[in-house]
């Protein structure tokens, strides 16, 4: 409402200036003078979010917009191009750009001359960016820390979920929900068991949420321990693949068969047998170029298989550090996703090491598969180790701290969303920025404060969120909020 009122005032102001120009011959649009500096004296409003209308005042802007640009420059020196509407020489009418995550910004007005020289002016005061992310509950009933919730189908508001752990969406925005027993570090009775419709404890349930009909169907009660699923859009073979903990097995859910679960076994040879058997896998991801299913095993091997032949191939022997993890073991629960901007760049969230790494699978023929570990990407644990480096801290990639982060996903514009489970919040990284300028930011949830609350960043709370996934066009993020027993949706900007 405030934005609408301001937009009306802005339109009235523009009309008033135009009328003044007609009524008073002394009022004219000003031309740009390349011998004089550009000056930015003021702007209003002084804060806002995406598409907020702005009036920027100053001198020597020029009334034509050829070569004229307005930027919002963040504290890392990254400039974000604003939407330029018009200029009369002393006033510019512009719109605040999207994706400006750092809140304190400079407004810069630039003109590029024919010879390539850039003349610019910068406002003395800062503009404060306000994000518009909110969270709402879409499936289930929030019952924080209730260990006796049963999984029962129904409509979105009446259905109940015992322990939604990991999720993925298909091309029609159906949500595949994998439930599994959730234990907190240290074990004991602080975790969340999975229950069937009768209240019996089971290892996993496979559940489908139909967003069009707003209904929940339980596809399988009592599945073997299952983990983060992946949807394959391969023509003629659309399916969801769900990894089991145990090395060889997984579930295949074909779309043409209404996602009826079928338990399958991977096929190994003498070389790959020892890699898969006696090992564990925590997520699947499908590469859109080769339609192969990729995973990082607990012991660190990067492997893939063809879902038709089910034959396993080892790509790298170990993509995890050669040190004990935060629990003193030598392995990690790894959650993987491919970037939509660089489709062969595989991002790997290493829960037990509290860090994120990445591997460009298109360049694996150029490296030694026995020694190459990919690139360490984000997390203070890269420098300080998985114990000293864990916790919560936003900031540059090398300074950020995570605590048992799990599933990750990408929006279409290259934003990596992270379920930072033990910090009870959702984090984000703009991977389109250079590595030395990209940051980790808490997009929603009160860090290290468990609870349940829908709403904006100032009040929203989660309770051990473990899963994140995006819809088919990459614009909406869903969250499996495990100990609140619900699926929630982030409305971004």
């Amino acid at each position: 409402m405030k934005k609408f009122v301001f937009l009306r005032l802005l339109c009235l102001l523009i009309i008033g200036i135009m009328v003044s120009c007609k009524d008073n011959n002394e009022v004219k649009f000003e031309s740009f003078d390349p011998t004089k500096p550009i000056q930015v004296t003021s702007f209003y409003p002084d804060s806002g979010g995406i598409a907020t209308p702005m009036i920027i005042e100053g001198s020597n802007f020029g009334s034509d917009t050829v070569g004229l640009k307005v930027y919002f420059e963040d504290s890392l020196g990254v400039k974000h191009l604003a939407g330029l509407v018009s200029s009369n020489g002393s006033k510019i009418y512009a719109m605040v750009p999207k994706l400006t995550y750092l809140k304190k910004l400079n407004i810069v007005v630039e003109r590029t001359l024919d010879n390539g020289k850039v003349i610019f002016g910068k406002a003395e005061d800062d503009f404060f960016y306000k994000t518009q992310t909110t969270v709402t509950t879409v499936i289930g009933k929030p019952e924080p820390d209730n260990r006796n919730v049963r999984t029962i189908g129904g409509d979105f508001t009446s259905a109940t979920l015992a322990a939604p752990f990991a999720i993925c969406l298909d091309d029609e925005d159906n949500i595949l929900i994998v439930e599994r027993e959730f234990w907190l570090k240290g074990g004991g009775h602080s975790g969340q068991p999975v229950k069937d419709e009768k209240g019996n404890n089971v290892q996993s349930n496979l559940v489908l949420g139909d967003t069009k009909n707003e209904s929940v169907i339980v596809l399988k009660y009592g599945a073997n321990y299952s983990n983060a699923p992946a949807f394959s859009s391969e023509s003629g073979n659309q399916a969801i693949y769900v990894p089991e903990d145990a090395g060889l097995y997984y579930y295949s859910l074909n779309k043409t068969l209404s996602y009826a679960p079928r338990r399958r076994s991977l096929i190994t040879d003498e070389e790959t047998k020892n890699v898969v058997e006696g090992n564990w896998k925590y997520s699947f991801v499908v590469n859109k170029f080769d339609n192969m299913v990729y995973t990082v095993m607990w012991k660190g091997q990067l492997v893939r298989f063809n879902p038709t032949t089910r034959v396993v191939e080892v790509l790298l022997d170990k993509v995890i550090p050669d040190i004990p993890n935060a629990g003193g073991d030598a392995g990690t629960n790894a959650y993987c996703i491919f970037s939509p901007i660089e489709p062969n760049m595989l991002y790997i969230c290493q829960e037990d090491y509290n860090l994120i790494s990445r591997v460009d699978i298109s360049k694996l023929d150029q490296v030694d598969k026995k020694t190459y570990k990919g690139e360490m990407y984000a997390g203070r644990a890269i420098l300080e180790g998985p114990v000293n480096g864990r916790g919560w801290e936003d900031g540059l990639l090398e300074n950020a701290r995570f605590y048992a982060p799990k599933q990750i996903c990408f929006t279409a514009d290259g934003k990596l969303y992270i379920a930072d489970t033990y910090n009870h919040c959702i984090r984000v990284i703009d991977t389109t920025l250079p590595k030395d300028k990209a940051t980790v930011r808490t997009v929603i949830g009160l860090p290290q404060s468990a609870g349940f609350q829908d709403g904006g960043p100032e009040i929203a709370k989660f309770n051990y969120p473990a899963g994140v996934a995006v819809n088919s066009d990459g614009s909406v993020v869903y969250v499996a909020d495990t100990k609140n027993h619900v699926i929630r949706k982030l409305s971004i900007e």
Side-chain angles (χ1 to χ4, degrees):
M1 178 61 72
K2 290 181 179 179
K3 184 179 290 186
F4 177 73
V5 171
F6 181 76
L7 186 57
R8 290 188 62 186
L9 293 173
L10 178 61
C11 293
L12 290 173
L13 178 59
I14 296 173
I15 293 171
I17 292 174
M18 294 175 66
V19 171
S20 297
C21 291
K22 291 180 180 179
D23 294 343
N24 186 348
N25 291 331
E26 293 182 359
V27 178
K28 298 180 180 179
F29 288 98
E30 301 173 4
S31 298
F32 171 68
D33 186 343
T35 65
K36 295 181 179 179
I38 292 175
Q39 293 184 328
V40 181
T41 57
S42 63
F43 58 85
Y44 55 93
D46 61 2
S47 63
I50 179 177
T52 298
M54 292 285 300
I55 298 175
I56 303 169
E57 296 184 323
S59 61
N60 201 31
F61 297 152
S63 57
D64 68 290
T65 57
V66 178
L68 179 65
K69 287 183 170 59
V70 176
Y71 292 100
F72 284 65
E73 184 179 39
D74 62 34
S75 58
L76 297 176
V78 177
K79 295 192 296 185
H80 306 266
L81 183 64
L84 180 61
V85 179
S86 63
S87 172
N88 69 1
S90 60
K91 288 185 174 68
I92 290 175
Y93 311 101
M95 297 288 184
V96 176
K98 186 181 179 182
L99 311 173
T100 311
Y101 285 150
L102 298 179
K103 295 182 178 180
K104 194 174 180 181
L105 302 142
N106 294 318
I107 293 180
V108 181
V109 177
E110 287 187 1
R111 266 198 180 273
T112 302
L113 306 183
D114 292 339
N115 61 7
K117 181 180 179 181
V118 176
I119 298 177
F120 69 93
K122 183 179 294 188
E124 291 185 2
D125 297 326
D126 293 317
F127 177 85
F128 292 90
Y129 187 77
K130 296 180 178 179
T131 57
Q132 307 295 323
T133 303
T134 59
V135 62
T136 55
T137 299
V138 292
I139 300 177
K141 300 176 181 179
E143 299 185 57
D145 293 324
N146 183 349
R147 291 173 44 82
N148 296 307
V149 178
R150 304 177 183 185
T151 297
I152 301 175
D155 61 40
F156 273 13
T157 56
S158 65
T160 55
L161 300 173
F165 182 80
I167 54 178
C168 77
L169 283 81
D170 69 5
D171 57 345
E172 295 184 4
D173 292 347
N174 295 303
I175 308 172
L176 193 284
I177 305 165
V178 174
E179 297 193 299
R180 67 164 288 139
E181 189 175 18
F182 180 85
W183 293 103
L184 300 184
K185 300 298 182 184
H189 295 288
S190 55
Q192 182 61 49
V194 179
K195 294 182 179 293
D196 62 17
E197 79 280 22
K198 298 178 181 179
N200 300 315
N201 286 354
V202 295
Q203 293 178 345
S204 287
N205 294 322
L206 304 182
V207 183
L208 188 70
D210 183 336
T211 58
K212 291 182 180 178
N213 298 316
E214 296 191 346
S215 63
V216 174
I217 303 169
V218 180
L219 300 174
K220 184 175 179 61
Y221 285 114
N224 291 334
Y225 280 120
S226 300
N227 288 304
F231 173 70
S232 173
S233 59
E234 181 181 4
S235 178
N237 192 30
Q238 290 182 315
I240 294 174
Y241 301 105
V242 183
E244 280 189 16
D245 277 2
L248 286 175
Y249 292 96
Y250 68 98
Y251 289 97
S252 175
L253 294 76
N254 195 288
K255 185 177 180 181
T256 60
L257 300 176
S258 301
Y259 292 125
R262 181 184 180 190
R263 192 167 183 249
R264 309 297 303 274
S265 175
L266 298 172
I267 297 175
T268 59
D269 56 22
E270 289 302 317
E271 180 182 357
T272 58
K273 180 179 180 180
N274 292 334
V275 171
V276 179
E277 294 182 7
N279 210 344
W280 302 268
K281 50 196 182 300
Y282 275 78
S283 76
F284 280 164
V285 63
V286 178
N287 181 272
K288 70 176 186 178
F289 289 144
D290 60 20
N291 294 310
M292 302 275 271
V293 180
Y294 289 72
T295 188
V296 172
M297 307 295 292
W298 161 264
K299 296 178 182 178
Q301 300 94 340
L302 172 60
V303 305
R304 69 180 176 187
F305 66 92
N306 184 315
T308 301
T309 66
R310 294 178 283 132
V311 174
V312 173
E313 177 185 1
V314 179
L315 301 177
L316 294 174
D317 283 358
K318 194 176 183 182
V319 294
I320 64 175
D322 291 320
I323 58 174
N325 63 28
D329 299 318
T332 187
N333 302 342
Y335 300 86
C336 307
I337 196 73
F338 280 105
S339 166
I341 306 299
E342 302 175 273
N344 281 316
M345 185 66 77
L346 180 68
Y347 284 76
I348 307 165
C349 181
Q350 301 186 23
E351 175 188 351
D352 299 89
Y353 285 97
N354 297 302
L355 59 84
I356 296 171
S357 62
R358 61 184 182 180
V359 174
D360 187 343
I361 65 167
S362 67
K363 298 180 179 179
L364 293 183
D365 59 348
Q366 305 172 20
V367 301
D368 182 350
K369 81 170 190 176
K370 294 185 179 300
T371 60
Y372 182 68
K373 297 180 179 300
E375 175 189 16
M376 294 296 138
Y377 183 69
R380 189 67 180 171
I382 297 171
L383 300 175
E384 296 188 358
V387 176
N388 293 334
R390 73 184 175 194
W392 177 86
E393 185 175 343
D394 281 344
L396 291 170
L397 299 182
E398 63 182 13
N399 294 328
R401 297 176 189 269
F402 305 98
Y403 196 0
K406 291 184 174 60
Q407 200 173 11
I408 54 179
C409 70
F410 267 106
T411 48
D413 52 5
K415 301 298 180 296
L416 179 67
Y417 283 79
I418 305 151
D420 196 357
T421 306
Y422 279 48
N423 280 321
H424 310 291
C425 59
I426 307 301
R427 318 283 288 279
V428 67
I429 301 172
D430 185 350
T431 63
T432 64
L433 295 177
K435 189 178 176 182
D436 62 341
K437 293 185 177 181
T439 61
V440 176
R441 183 177 72 93
T442 300
V443 68
I444 199 159
L446 302 183
Q448 301 180 331
S449 178
F452 175 83
Q453 180 66 53
D454 282 343
E458 296 81 8
I459 62 172
K461 282 191 173 185
F462 297 88
N463 198 349
Y464 294 94
V468 288
V470 298
N471 65 341
S472 56
D473 67 8
S475 64
V476 179
V477 177
Y478 289 83
V479 180
D481 195 359
T482 303
K483 294 190 71 177
N484 280 323
H485 312 283
V486 293
I487 303 298
R488 305 171 78 182
K489 180 173 73 172
L490 304 188
S491 298
I492 306 166
E493 299 290 324

